[in-house]
Amino acid sequence: FGYATGLTYTLFEAEGEEKGRGFELKEVKVGAELYGGLGDSVKGLTLDGSKTEQYAGLNLKTEFANGTMFMIGGAFGLTHESQDAIFRSMIGVEF
């Protein structure tokens, strides 16, 4: 069991919704997130931080006019059970 919550802020957004214009920058967003576990089928539901992993992180996402997206981000563990830090990246194509 787990939870996730976040906020995003648009730093840049191009005019119009035109697609297929190559790698022209369409938008850039920055986000903050908080996520973690609330237990499992063995431990049951718990808010005890000594038994579950909790993370806080930041992300930067860009989207281009041709539908390609790139996201890079990281998170830091908030509890003893958590990893110290996590790095994530994603490349996607909308078609």
Side-chain angles (χ1 to χ4, degrees):
F1 308 107
Y3 71 95
T5 187
L7 299 170
T8 62
Y9 180 76
T10 302
L11 297 173
F12 170 80
E13 188 168 22
E15 300 287 326
E17 284 288 321
E18 297 179 24
K19 284 196 164 249
R21 298 184 89 188
F23 284 96
E24 289 182 22
L25 198 55
K26 180 179 173 184
E27 68 180 17
V28 177
K29 293 184 177 186
V30 65
E33 62 184 335
L34 185 63
Y35 61 94
L38 295 174
D40 59 25
S41 60
V42 175
K43 299 174 189 170
L45 288 174
T46 180
L47 295 176
D48 186 356
S50 67
K51 296 181 181 178
T52 59
E53 296 181 20
Q54 312 294 319
Y55 295 93
L58 294 173
N59 301 303
L60 182 66
K61 178 186 163 238
T62 59
E63 185 172 341
F64 300 95
N66 64 2
T68 303
M69 295 171 277
F70 178 71
M71 188 272 297
I72 188 169
F76 297 95
L78 302 175
T79 62
H80 185 323
E81 294 294 313
S82 305
Q83 299 291 321
D84 291 335
I86 296 174
F87 172 77
R88 297 180 294 171
S89 63
M90 183 257 327
I91 296 174
V93 178
E94 183 178 326
F95 56 93

